[in-house]
Amino acid sequence: VLWEYSGYFCGLAGAAFALTALLSLRFQKLRIPAVILLGAVLAGAWLLVLQRCYYAPFYELDDRTVSGEVLLTEKPTSSDYGFQGAGSLNWQGKQYPVLVYLKEDSPEPGNILEGSFRVRLTLPGGSKEDTYHPGNRVLALVNAKGEIRTLPGEAGSIRFFPGRLADRMKEILRNCVPEDAAPFAQSLLLGDTSGLDYETKTSLSVSGIRHIVAVSGLHVGVLCAGIWFLTRKRRWLTVLVGLPVLALFAAM
C-alpha cells in the first residue's frame, strides 16, 4: 500500500513523531504513541532506502533480455514451461531472488547458470506484478534464452546440503511408495506440492483440507515424538538430538 508513497509516509510519520515526542515531555501518556510513531518512521525509512539503493537498479531489467549469471538455489522441478527452480540473479554486484525457467533439469543447487535471460519483475509496477511471488521472495520471473552454460559454482558445498538431502528423500519416496501416493508423501514430509496435479490441489482447497499437505507444527510434533521415543524418553538427550534435527528439517 505504501510502495508508491514511502517518502510521503516517512515524512508524515517523522513530523508526527517529532510533535508527539515534544508533547510527551508534558503529557506522559503520549510516550507510547511516540514510540509507535518512531517505529513507523524507521519502517518507512527502511523501505525508502531499499527502494532507492536495492530495488531501483533491478527495475532497469524489467521486460528486458540481458546477459548475466543466476545461482541456482534449489533443484529444478517440472512445470508447464519446462522446468523451474529458485535462484539468485547477480546484477550490479547485488543478488536478487528470482524464479528461473529452464529447458532441462540437469543443473544442481549451487550451479551457476550463465547466458541470456528475459527478466520480468513481480514487484509493484513490474510487468508480472502480483502479490504471491514477492511474498515468497521471488522478485522476478526469469526465462533462459538460447544456450545456457552450467558452471560448477558452489555445488557440493555444505550450504546446499539440506537441499540435496531433500532431493534424496524425494528419490527414496518415489522408489518406496506407490506412484499415486508418492506426491502426497512428498507433500506431507517436505511440504513440496509440486508433484500434485492441478485437480488434486483444487479438490484439497475446495474441501478446506489444503493444509494437510503443508509442513506445520504437527510435523514438528511427530518428529519430536519420534526422537523422544528413540532416546528412550531422556529429556536432555532428546533436546541435544532434537534441536539439530529440527534445524535441518526446517532447512530442508
Side-chain angles (χ1 to χ4, degrees):
V1 173
L2 298 174
W3 188 267
E4 297 181 8
Y5 308 102
S6 57
Y8 297 106
F9 170 76
C10 191
L12 289 173
F17 163 70
L19 178 61
T20 308
L22 185 63
L23 291 175
S24 68
L25 297 174
R26 183 173 181 180
F27 305 100
Q28 292 189 359
K29 291 183 178 180
L30 291 178
R31 289 180 178 179
I32 292 178
V35 172
I36 295 173
L37 285 170
L38 176 60
V41 172
L42 294 175
W46 179 239
L47 176 59
L48 196 60
V49 169
L50 281 176
Q51 286 179 323
R52 302 289 172 84
C53 301
Y54 181 68
Y55 292 117
F58 200 42
Y59 270 92
E60 299 174 4
L61 302 183
D62 191 27
D63 210 16
R64 286 176 52 197
T65 299
V66 297
S67 297
E69 294 181 348
V70 174
L71 173 66
L72 204 62
T73 55
E74 70 174 24
K75 178 72 175 176
T77 57
S78 60
S79 70
D80 296 335
Y81 306 97
F83 298 93
Q84 67 180 33
S88 179
L89 176 64
N90 186 348
W91 182 252
Q92 295 186 2
K94 299 181 178 68
Q95 299 294 330
Y96 297 93
V98 299
L99 186 65
V100 59
Y101 292 95
L102 305 166
K103 295 180 180 178
E104 56 183 23
D105 65 341
S106 56
E108 299 290 333
N111 284 159
I112 293 178
L113 308 177
E114 187 180 75
S116 297
F117 302 93
R118 184 188 177 196
V119 182
R120 293 173 294 171
L121 268 61
T122 60
L123 293 167
S127 55
K128 280 289 184 179
E129 177 183 353
D130 62 26
T131 55
Y132 173 78
H133 285 108
N136 287 277
R137 276 197 62 75
V138 174
L139 305 185
L141 306 181
V142 175
N143 291 78
K145 297 293 183 181
E147 184 178 353
I148 300 296
R149 291 180 57 204
T150 301
L151 306 177
E154 301 178 38
S157 67
I158 193 171
R159 172 185 174 185
F160 297 101
F161 173 73
R164 295 196 300 272
L165 186 59
D167 291 335
R168 178 59 181 153
M169 286 188 64
K170 294 173 189 176
E171 183 181 343
I172 292 173
L173 288 173
R174 287 193 293 267
N175 293 331
C176 298
V177 180
E179 185 176 354
D180 59 339
F184 278 103
Q186 179 175 305
S187 303
L188 289 169
L189 289 174
L190 299 170
D192 185 353
T193 60
S194 59
L196 298 176
D197 55 47
Y198 175 78
E199 290 77 10
T200 302
K201 292 179 181 178
T202 303
S203 298
L204 290 171
S205 298
V206 171
S207 57
I209 56 174
R210 181 72 163 76
H211 60 278
I212 68 171
V213 292
V215 171
S216 64
L218 175 63
H219 298 74
V220 173
V222 172
L223 185 58
C224 287
I227 296 171
W228 172 256
F229 174 77
L230 292 174
T231 57
R232 298 185 178 182
K233 301 182 180 181
R234 297 187 177 121
R235 293 176 62 185
W236 284 106
L237 186 57
T238 301
V239 171
L240 291 174
V241 175
L243 289 179
V245 170
L246 286 177
L248 180 60
F249 180 62
M252 290 170 56

